[in-house]
Amino acid sequence: MQFIGLAVFVTVIAVLVLTLGVRILLRGNWFLAWFRGSLGIVIVLVAALGAAVAYDLSTYQQNLPSETLVRISISKSVDKRFELSVTRQARTESYVVEGDLWRLDVRELGWQGLAEAIGLQPGYRLDRVKTIFSDNTRQPIARYAQAKLEQSWFDIDLWLWAYQNRKTVALLAPKSIKSNYYPLLDGASFEARLTEKGIVVLATNDVAERAVRTKK
């Protein structure tokens, strides 16, 4: 709810800024028309950016330890590739990958400084399933090396911006959380949970259990 509330707050600000920009653009007095027009356009663009940031914030959620983040079922595809059926929040999507090992990456959008002091809690967003070959001499084709689980609107990515500028950003504390690698095996299914120790991946059928035992 915290991130939904933050998204709603940013959306309200964006709407107010948009209203101001439109009013400036529609005024009939052409004194300083060029300045007003330019200022109005800038304000509208700022409002659009605010809306994109609000959407990006809404894709994060506070984690509950008992919740399953995602369920992943693996089946063979064509050309020695695999199809991942990824289920989250009663929604299932399919991705084609190649390799023989996979891992789950999760983004943590944390807070520091004043934001942490007022009690804001970190939020989490599924990032991707990354695949590799255990044989280091081989690499998956870029198109099939990862399954992006969540996309940002118009590539306005608050986490990525904060991560790239983490030495200078005062309020945000982005972090990438990665699971261990697990076998890509036809018929295997897993589920992942987020705990204080990181991502815990559990085998949910015999095929996955045998694969994990073999890897160990």
Side-chain angles (χ1 to χ4, degrees), residues 19 68-69 74 93 112 130 161 166 178 180 216:
T19 302
T68 297
L69 280 176
I74 304 167
E93 295 176 314
Q112 58 187 356
K130 181 181 179 181
W161 172 81
R166 56 190 179 277
K178 302 175 174 64
N180 295 325
K216 291 179 180 180

Side-chain angles (χ1 to χ4, degrees), residues 116-132:
E116 184 180 25
I118 64 176
L120 292 182
Q121 299 298 311
Y124 302 89
R125 187 174 99 175
L126 293 172
D127 185 11
R128 64 179 180 173
V129 175
K130 181 181 179 181
T131 60
I132 61 170

Side-chain angles (χ1 to χ4, degrees), residues 63 69 177-179 193-201:
N63 181 62
L69 280 176
I177 305 174
K178 302 175 174 64
S179 74
R193 297 179 181 179
L194 190 60
T195 71
E196 293 181 354
K197 296 182 179 180
I199 300 172
V200 174
V201 176

Side-chain angles (χ1 to χ4, degrees), residues 15 37 97 120 188:
V15 170
V97 296
L120 292 182

Side-chain angles (χ1 to χ4, degrees), residues 2-214:
Q2 170 188 289
F3 282 85
I4 295 297
L6 287 171
V8 170
F9 174 74
V10 174
T11 300
V12 170
I13 297 299
V15 170
L16 292 175
V17 171
L18 176 62
T19 302
L20 175 61
V22 171
R23 287 186 62 185
I24 290 174
L25 287 174
L26 295 180
R27 281 184 179 175
N29 186 354
W30 286 95
F31 179 70
L32 297 178
W34 176 85
F35 175 77
R36 286 178 175 172
S38 299
L39 179 61
I41 291 173
V42 169
I43 290 175
V44 169
L45 291 175
V46 170
L49 177 62
V53 170
Y55 172 80
D56 206 54
L57 280 170
S58 71
T59 63
Y60 290 83
Q61 58 181 336
Q62 291 173 255
N63 181 62
L64 298 177
S66 60
E67 284 187 347
T68 297
L69 280 176
V70 67
R71 292 182 174 86
I72 298 175
S73 299
I74 304 167
S75 58
K76 273 196 172 181
S77 184
V78 296
D79 299 328
K80 298 181 180 179
R81 298 189 175 107
F82 291 89
E83 181 175 339
L84 305 181
S85 294
V86 180
T87 302
R88 49 201 166 117
Q89 297 179 346
R91 184 180 70 191
T92 300
E93 295 176 314
S94 296
Y95 305 86
V96 176
V97 296
E98 66 176 357
D100 53 37
L101 296 172
W102 67 273
R103 81 173 187 214
L104 177 65
D105 292 359
V106 173
R107 293 180 172 190
E108 177 184 288
L109 186 61
W111 309 92
Q112 58 187 356
L114 179 61
E116 184 180 25
I118 64 176
L120 292 182
Q121 299 298 311
Y124 302 89
R125 187 174 99 175
L126 293 172
D127 185 11
R128 64 179 180 173
V129 175
K130 181 181 179 181
T131 60
I132 61 170
F133 286 103
S134 54
D135 179 358
N136 293 330
T137 62
R138 302 179 64 191
Q139 292 294 334
I141 299 173
R143 180 180 175 185
Y144 300 108
Q146 58 182 328
K148 292 294 290 182
L149 302 182
E150 194 75 60
Q151 300 287 345
S152 294
W153 192 29
F154 294 111
D155 291 328
I156 304 298
D157 192 328
L158 183 63
W159 183 94
L160 182 59
W161 172 81
Y163 190 80
Q164 292 173 340
N165 298 278
R166 56 190 179 277
K167 292 183 178 179
T168 57
V169 174
L171 297 179
L172 298 173
K175 180 181 177 182
S176 181
I177 305 174
K178 302 175 174 64
S179 74
N180 295 325
Y181 278 102
Y182 295 89
L184 273 170
L185 192 64
D186 184 29
S189 62
F190 302 85
E191 68 176 33
R193 297 179 181 179
L194 190 60
T195 71
E196 293 181 354
K197 296 182 179 180
I199 300 172
V200 174
V201 176
L202 304 173
T204 58
N205 67 1
D206 292 341
V207 177
E209 288 179 358
R210 288 198 301 271
V212 172
R213 286 199 300 267
T214 299

